[in-house]
Amino acid sequence: MMGLMRDALIIGAGPAGSVAAILLARSGWQVRMVEQHRFPRDKVCGECLSNTGFQILSRLNLVDSFRSLRPIELRRTILYATNGESIEMPLPRSMWGISRVAFDQFLLDEARRSGAMVLQPVRCEKLIPGQSPRVCLRNLETNEWTEHTAPIVLLADGKGSLLPDPPQKTSDFGIKTHFEKVSGARDAIEMFGVHDHYGGVAPIEQNRANAAFSIPAALIAAHRGNIDAAFNQIVDRNDALKRRLKGARRIGPWLAAPLPRFAVSRAWPEGIIPLGNSAAALEPVGGEGMGLAMRSAELAVEAIAGGSVHRLATHFDKLWRARSFSCRAIAKLLSSSTWSAFTMDIARTCPFAIPVAMSVMGK
Ligand SMILES: Cc1cc2nc3c(=O)[nH]c(=O)nc-3n(C[C@H](O)[C@H](O)[C@H](O)COP(=O)(O)OP(=O)(O)OC[C@H]3O[C@@H](n4cnc5c(N)ncnc54)[C@H](O)[C@@H]3O)c2cc1C
């Protein structure tokens, strides 16, 4: 019944929303997508697209146009313990360094080209579940309110905040900026443990590097909201990070956002399908968030076409559950002053440790 109406409304134009829009519009659906920001818009993210996401670009026949954005191919990752000790691991499958400004614009352009109607800057203020959910929208330019219905509403707002029972916030924040003139490898994601938090530096297009960290809200508060000062303290605490950023220049503003971390819920409101970080959110250490968001969109569109939406939560659970445990464990180990160097010693001496760690993170 739902599938026959072929009319969908998507909230949020991140990777999850745009991939859903592309797939539905390409198969003849009437798609309306609402996005609160004007694009290009930036976003807190480590900006490394995993192979999961790259495979979806390939299935969408978008690899050539993605390559024209000049993403940086990343073939290895280097982990630095809190004491600066390091271990290098080849990535079984490449990841890609690409700014969110470029990548999200690229996917949104493709959604439009595929026939989706994009309403922007328009915010969904309220979502009322039901057989045909009601969606209250506010145009942020004119402040005009409108109410819409659609047989299928895909919620891809990146946080599930419009769900009747929104996920709890954590006490951690994600922060991100861009640097130029970062010394070191241009084909590696470097991850740094820094006494109870961690983050990464990775090259992206146009000779820039992304720096994204997960840090406790208390650290930001201790610096009265001055993220530059909080970051300087982080850099001071890891010698390898200090060396890497010596001579580098920050060329972007700091972005900060509360870090979501929650498992797939099995109780979705009637008529509403959560996608991407509205469905579940991982510790970002594995750089899988965009790939999983895109994959959840692909699974949702397959389920809609096949009339099996009722099984989607089970598929999502499989997608996120194993990674959620392993990413949390790796984040804890990397950021522990007691365990990070010790874990690296084990990884160095045990030949299976690295392949197993890569595999549980879905690499
Ligand atoms: C510190 C950090 C580092 C990370 N590093 C990586 C990494 O290296 N690689 C990776 O793959 N992932 C990484 N992630 C995770 C990744 O950023 C997310 O998993 C991904 O963005 C989720 O995509 P999404 O489409 O679900 O949501 P989002 O990308 O958050 O998109 C949601 C969209 O919805 C819009 N929106 C929200 N509310 C409304 C509303 N009410 N009405 C209309 N529009 C709305 C927003 O403006 C936004 O454009 C990282 C995350 C953090 C915090």
Side-chain angles (χ1 to χ4, degrees), residues 11-17 34-37 39 41 43-50 95 100 104 122-125 156-159 161-162 173-175 212-214 257-260 275-278 284 286-291 293:
I11 300 161
V34 299
E35 167 57 50
Q36 64 185 357
H37 289 298
F39 274 31
R41 69 100 178 80
K43 167 103 195 29
V44 176
C45 186
E47 303 185 314
C48 298
L49 181 71
S50 68
M95 292 177 71
R100 289 296 296 264
D104 289 25
V122 171
R123 180 182 295 147
C124 174
E125 300 285 4
D157 70 343
K159 47 194 182 300
S161 64
L162 292 157
F173 267 69
I175 60 167
F213 278 70
S214 159
L259 201 69
L275 297 181
N277 274 169
S278 303
E288 283 289 336
M290 289 187 280

Side-chain angles (χ1 to χ4, degrees), residues 272-341:
I272 295 166
I273 302 175
L275 297 181
N277 274 169
S278 303
L282 291 182
E283 190 73 55
V285 70
E288 283 289 336
M290 289 187 280
L292 295 179
M294 294 162 76
R295 179 69 184 135
S296 70
E298 205 180 38
L299 286 170
V301 172
E302 281 166 21
I304 292 166
S308 57
V309 170
H310 56 287
R311 286 207 290 271
L312 200 50
T314 309
H315 293 313
F316 281 9
D317 199 40
K318 279 195 196 133
L319 192 63
W320 269 287
R321 192 176 18 178
R323 289 180 176 103
S324 127
F325 175 74
S326 52
C327 289
R328 186 85 179 124
I330 286 168
K332 282 274 169 207
L333 287 173
L334 179 63
S335 54
S336 157
S337 327
T338 320
W339 293 102
S340 59

